[in-house]
Structure formats: C-alpha cells, structure tokens
Amino acid sequence: MVNATSGFETAPETGTDPGRVVLLTTSHRVAPGLLSWPAWQTLHAADRVLCADGGHPQLPYLREAGISVEEASPTAEALIDACAGGRTVVVVTTGEGDPALTDGLARLAGSGRVRMPDLELLPASYDLPGARLLDLVQVMDRIRLECPWSSRQTHKGLAKYAIEEAYELVEAIEEGDQDELREELGDVLLQVVFHARIAEEGSEEDGTAPFSIDDVAAGIVTKLIHRHPHVFGDETATTPEEVKEHWLRTKAVEKRRESVTDGVPIGQPGLALAAKLASRVRTAALDVPLPQGEGIGYELLELAVRAEAEGVDPEAALRVAARAYRDAVRVREGVAEVTGEG
C-alpha cells in the first residue's frame, strides 16, 4: 500500500492512449457499500483504485468485494502518468472532495500542453430529496448534548420561540422576500427538530413516553395519506372544495369531535380566532347569529366574520394596514421615506 505522494508509482508509457480518470463520489448520508451498479462495474474493471483517506468509510466494503484500494494522494501530473497506455484509474474522493487534485487537473487541461486522459465524474451514491434533513438531526443531537444552553431547554421554555418564528415566517411571506422565506422556514424547522430531540429523552417526573423526529414524520405521513384518499385511495376530487370536503370528513372521523369548535386554539390572536370559528360555522352550514353586545370587541368580531365570508384573512389585512400606518409614522418623524406597502 502506498501512503504518500512521493512514493506513488506511475505506469510506463506503453502506448499513445492517455487512458481514463474516474472521480468516484459518494454521499455520507447513504450507508457505506450501497453503490450504484455502474460504480461497481467501474471499480472492478479499473486498473487501479486510489483513495487519499485511509479511514474512508467505503474502503472496508470495497476490499470485502475484492477490490484492491491503494491509499495514495497523487498529484495531477502523477495521476495522468499513471493512466498512460490506456489504463483506467479510479479515485475514490473524500467527503470534502479532492480540490488540490481537481484544480491540478483543470490547470493542466487548460494549459493545452498535456494530452489529457478522459475525465469522468461518477456519482456512486447520491442524496435523495430531503437528505440534508439527516444533517440537521445529527447537528441538533450534538447541540443538545454539548451546548450548555440547549441542553437545559424544555418544551415549555421553547414555546415562545415557536410563536416568534412562525410570525417571522408570515412576515417573510407577506414581504415577498425569498431569501428571508428560506431562512425563516429553516428557523421554523429547527423548532420542530429541537422539540422532537427533547422528546426523545422522555420525562421520568411526569411519565411521558419518549418519541423521536422519525415518529413525528411517520405521524404526519400517515395523516396526509389518510386525508388524501383522492391521491392515495379510490376517492376522486377535481376541485379544491371537494378536497376540503374530504379533509374535513376524515378529520372529523379521526378526532371524533362533538362540536365544530373543537380543536380551535383559543389562545391564537383574536381576529384569527374569530375568523376560524366563522369558517367552521360556515363550512358546517350552521345558522348561528352573532352575539350582540357593546364595545369594540363585538364590532371586531363582526368585521372578522365578514372578512372570512369574503375570503379575506382579517389578520393579514390588518397587518397590511398596520404597516401602512407604521410607514406614515416614520415619514412624519422624518426617519425614512415610504418605499412600498411592505
């Protein structure tokens, strides 16, 4: 086994064919040894297989499959020489890639003075959509174990942050800022992963059973499939109204609610609460007169119900008006000019 660049052996130039270099990449998010069939074919057919990292997680599986892997980190020049005579050399790249090697190959190719071998990038394993969520789970696990602040947090202590992040997400949506939207979605996702990580530990004091982020994901997957029989079952739905009807019907069966108001969180902002109750009443085709009383509260209730009937989110509408008010205040103060509604 060759362990250093200085000891790397090159092949004698036995022909004019410059050969082939295959840079084989793998994902650490996929179990080692699970490689694509083209990757296995290339590895078995190669004249030499090189890897600069002797601790690469793929090496034990490659050697178990009968592939001889040399621990070596050749220069670009040495690698080109090793391919001389039509030989194929596979380089198993490290998790960070091999920038020194690839930059060197690019430099030689751009010089026009060297006859280059065929260069091929072969993904032996690659990330599926959502794979980076595994990184988030791993990072959160380490933070929970090692961070003095995060290790002491509880569900109740974090509750206010979930509300704050949700409001910041709504603001990003209403402002139409895609960069902010991406960031705020990440912050909301962090709250979900954080709470799930805390839940893994359970609580001996109140006897709560532990659950993990996988349990959370499994639960919502099951719920989505069950509530979309027109997608995953034999039901049909061609309009949004029919989809909503399916959703409400299956939800009612699941929750076994006695009232249309069951499940409406009373602690949410007042306008949103009033609109949600009005939506439940309208969907259930109930004739419920609004309660009569004195004061702004009853006037706001009437406005919220009217807004919901007209398809307007009263909270969003009020925020638009409030931002206009904020801009007017800033103009009067001479702090800033109005640049737009948001």
Side-chain angles (χ1 to χ4, degrees):
M1 183 174 297
V2 182
N3 294 308
T5 303
S6 59
F8 183 76
E9 298 179 357
T10 60
E13 294 194 23
T14 58
T16 59
D17 188 343
R20 175 184 177 215
V21 174
V22 179
L23 301 177
L24 189 140
T25 63
T26 59
S27 170
H28 69 276
R29 302 177 190 91
V30 177
L34 296 179
L35 307 181
S36 65
W37 178 239
W40 283 117
Q41 287 180 308
T42 301
L43 286 164
H44 280 291
D47 295 289
R48 298 174 72 177
V49 178
L50 313 177
C51 182
D53 179 11
H56 197 294
Q58 297 289 352
L59 298 192
Y61 298 91
L62 298 183
R63 290 173 175 144
E64 185 177 351
I67 297 170
S68 176
V69 183
E70 305 171 43
E71 185 181 339
S73 53
T75 64
E77 291 85 351
L79 184 60
I80 291 175
D81 290 341
C83 295
R87 293 163 61 88
T88 295
V89 178
V90 175
V91 178
V92 180
T93 62
T94 64
E96 296 76 23
D98 294 291
L101 179 60
T102 53
D103 290 348
L105 290 171
R107 175 177 50 79
L108 292 176
S111 71
R113 297 190 299 270
V114 178
R115 187 180 181 193
M116 298 294 294
D118 291 335
L119 300 177
E120 178 182 346
L121 178 64
L122 178 58
S125 62
Y126 50 88
D127 295 339
L128 295 174
R132 293 306 300 270
L133 293 175
L134 299 175
D135 291 345
L136 175 58
V137 172
Q138 292 177 346
V139 169
M140 187 68 252
D141 185 60
R142 182 171 178 179
I143 290 174
R144 178 64 174 175
L145 293 173
E146 301 180 18
C147 174
W149 184 85
S150 299
S151 62
R152 291 175 172 81
Q153 297 310 302
T154 64
H155 293 303
K156 290 183 179 179
L158 290 176
K160 63 180 181 180
Y161 299 111
I163 296 174
E164 290 175 4
E165 299 298 353
Y167 277 129
E168 291 180 7
L169 172 60
V170 171
E171 182 176 357
I173 293 172
E174 293 180 346
E175 294 283 355
D177 190 323
Q178 286 295 100
D179 291 335
E180 282 295 315
L181 176 59
R182 182 181 63 251
E183 181 177 346
E184 297 305 335
L185 283 170
D187 290 341
V188 171
L189 179 59
L190 169 61
Q191 298 304 309
V192 175
V193 175
F194 203 161
H195 281 282
R197 178 58 183 82
I198 294 173
E200 283 188 31
E201 301 162 10
S203 175
E204 295 182 359
E205 296 181 0
D206 55 19
T208 56
F211 62 82
S212 69
I213 188 66
D214 289 314
D215 297 314
V216 174
I220 191 61
V221 166
T222 300
K223 180 185 293 185
L224 287 173
I225 292 175
H226 183 60
R227 293 186 183 178
H228 288 79
H230 53 289
V231 176
F232 301 99
D234 299 328
E235 300 283 349
T236 59
T238 57
T239 66
E241 291 74 23
E242 291 177 344
V243 172
K244 187 174 182 180
E245 182 181 345
H246 284 314
W247 181 277
L248 293 176
R249 184 169 63 249
T250 55
K251 188 174 181 180
V253 173
E254 290 172 3
K255 301 296 184 180
R256 298 180 182 179
R257 289 170 173 165
E258 297 179 351
S259 169
V260 297
T261 64
D262 290 346
V264 177
I266 300 299
Q268 64 182 301
L271 288 177
L273 171 61
K276 186 65 175 180
L277 291 171
S279 174
R280 290 285 184 89
V281 169
R282 181 173 55 82
T283 302
L286 296 175
D287 184 10
V288 182
L290 291 178
Q292 299 300 309
E294 298 294 331
I296 294 177
Y298 288 94
E299 295 175 14
L300 290 174
L301 172 63
E302 185 176 351
L303 285 173
V305 172
R306 193 185 89 190
E308 193 282 329
E310 295 176 359
V312 175
D313 179 351
E315 284 283 345
L318 181 57
R319 280 194 297 273
V320 170
R323 282 198 293 271
Y325 185 35
R326 175 204 60 189
D327 291 343
V329 172
R330 293 175 66 85
V331 169
R332 176 58 63 91
E333 293 173 329
V335 175
E337 296 182 358
V338 178
T339 58
E341 185 182 60

Coordinates of all heavy atoms in Angstrom, one line a residue, residues 5 35 52 59 69 103 114 122 124 135 166-167 200 206 221 243 267 271 293 303 316 329:
T5 N 2.4 10.8 -1.6 CA 2.5 11.2 -3.0 C 3.9 10.9 -3.5 O 4.0 10.4 -4.7 CB 2.3 12.7 -3.1 OG1 1.0 13.0 -2.6 CG2 2.3 13.1 -4.5
L35 N -23.6 1.2 -3.4 CA -23.2 2.0 -4.5 C -24.0 1.6 -5.8 O -24.6 0.5 -5.8 CB -21.7 1.7 -4.8 CG -20.7 1.9 -3.6 CD1 -19.3 1.6 -4.0 CD2 -20.9 3.3 -3.0
A52 N -7.2 8.8 -1.0 CA -6.3 9.6 -0.1 C -6.5 9.4 1.3 O -5.7 9.5 2.2 CB -6.3 11.1 -0.5
L59 N -14.0 2.1 2.2 CA -12.9 1.2 1.9 C -13.1 -0.2 2.4 O -12.8 -1.2 1.7 CB -11.6 1.8 2.5 CG -11.1 3.1 1.9 CD1 -9.7 3.4 2.4 CD2 -11.2 3.1 0.4
V69 N -7.6 -1.4 -3.1 CA -7.6 0.1 -3.0 C -6.2 0.5 -2.4 O -5.8 0.1 -1.3 CB -8.7 0.6 -2.1 CG1 -8.7 2.1 -2.1 CG2 -10.1 0.0 -2.6
D103 N -8.2 20.7 -9.0 CA -7.7 22.0 -9.5 C -6.5 21.8 -10.4 O -6.3 22.5 -11.4 CB -7.3 22.9 -8.3 CG -8.6 23.4 -7.6 OD1 -9.7 23.3 -8.1 OD2 -8.4 24.0 -6.5
V114 N -0.6 19.4 -22.3 CA -0.6 18.0 -21.9 C -1.8 17.3 -22.6 O -2.9 17.8 -22.6 CB -0.8 17.9 -20.4 CG1 -0.8 16.5 -19.9 CG2 0.4 18.6 -19.7
L122 N -18.2 10.2 -11.5 CA -19.2 9.2 -11.4 C -19.7 9.2 -10.0 O -19.1 8.8 -9.0 CB -18.5 7.8 -11.7 CG -19.4 6.6 -11.5 CD1 -20.6 6.6 -12.4 CD2 -18.6 5.3 -11.7
A124 N -21.3 7.5 -7.2 CA -21.6 6.2 -6.8 C -22.8 6.1 -5.9 O -23.5 5.1 -5.8 CB -20.3 5.6 -6.1
D135 N -28.6 15.7 8.2 CA -27.6 16.5 8.8 C -28.2 17.4 9.9 O -27.5 17.5 11.0 CB -27.0 17.4 7.7 CG -26.2 16.7 6.7 OD1 -25.9 15.5 6.9 OD2 -25.9 17.3 5.6
A166 N -42.8 31.6 13.8 CA -44.0 31.5 12.9 C -44.4 32.9 12.4 O -44.7 33.1 11.2 CB -45.2 30.8 13.6
Y167 N -44.4 33.9 13.3 CA -44.7 35.2 12.9 C -43.7 35.8 11.9 O -44.0 36.5 10.9 CB -44.8 36.2 14.1 CG -46.1 36.1 14.8 CD1 -46.2 35.9 16.2 CD2 -47.3 36.2 14.1 CE1 -47.4 35.8 16.8 CE2 -48.5 36.2 14.7 CZ -48.6 36.0 16.1 OH -49.8 35.9 16.8
E200 N -37.2 12.9 22.8 CA -36.5 11.6 22.8 C -36.1 11.2 24.2 O -36.0 10.0 24.5 CB -35.2 11.6 21.9 CG -35.5 11.6 20.4 CD -34.2 11.4 19.7 OE1 -33.2 10.8 20.2 OE2 -34.1 11.9 18.5
D206 N -43.0 13.2 34.9 CA -44.5 13.2 34.6 C -44.8 11.9 33.8 O -46.0 11.7 33.4 CB -44.9 14.4 33.8 CG -44.0 14.6 32.6 OD1 -43.4 13.7 32.1 OD2 -44.0 15.7 32.1
V221 N -47.0 11.7 7.9 CA -47.1 11.0 6.7 C -48.4 10.1 6.7 O -49.2 10.1 5.7 CB -45.9 10.0 6.4 CG1 -46.2 9.0 5.3 CG2 -44.7 10.9 6.1
V243 N -61.7 18.6 -2.3 CA -60.5 18.2 -1.4 C -60.8 18.6 0.0 O -60.5 17.8 0.9 CB -59.2 18.9 -2.0 CG1 -58.1 18.6 -1.0 CG2 -58.9 18.4 -3.3
G267 N -56.2 30.3 22.3 CA -55.1 31.2 22.6 C -54.5 32.0 21.4 O -53.6 32.8 21.5
L271 N -58.5 38.2 16.1 CA -59.1 38.2 14.7 C -59.0 36.9 14.0 O -60.0 36.4 13.4 CB -58.4 39.3 13.9 CG -58.7 40.7 14.2 CD1 -57.9 41.6 13.3 CD2 -60.2 41.0 14.1
G293 N -73.6 42.7 21.7 CA -73.0 43.3 22.9 C -72.4 44.7 22.6 O -72.3 45.1 21.4
L303 N -66.6 42.3 12.1 CA -65.7 42.6 11.0 C -64.9 41.3 10.6 O -64.7 41.0 9.4 CB -64.7 43.7 11.3 CG -65.2 45.1 11.3 CD1 -64.2 46.1 11.9 CD2 -65.7 45.6 9.9
A316 N -54.2 39.2 8.2 CA -53.3 39.7 7.2 C -53.7 41.1 6.7 O -52.9 41.9 6.5 CB -53.3 38.7 6.0
V329 N -46.0 56.9 10.1 CA -45.4 57.4 11.3 C -43.9 57.8 11.0 O -43.4 58.8 11.4 CB -45.5 56.4 12.5 CG1 -44.6 56.8 13.6 CG2 -46.9 56.2 12.9

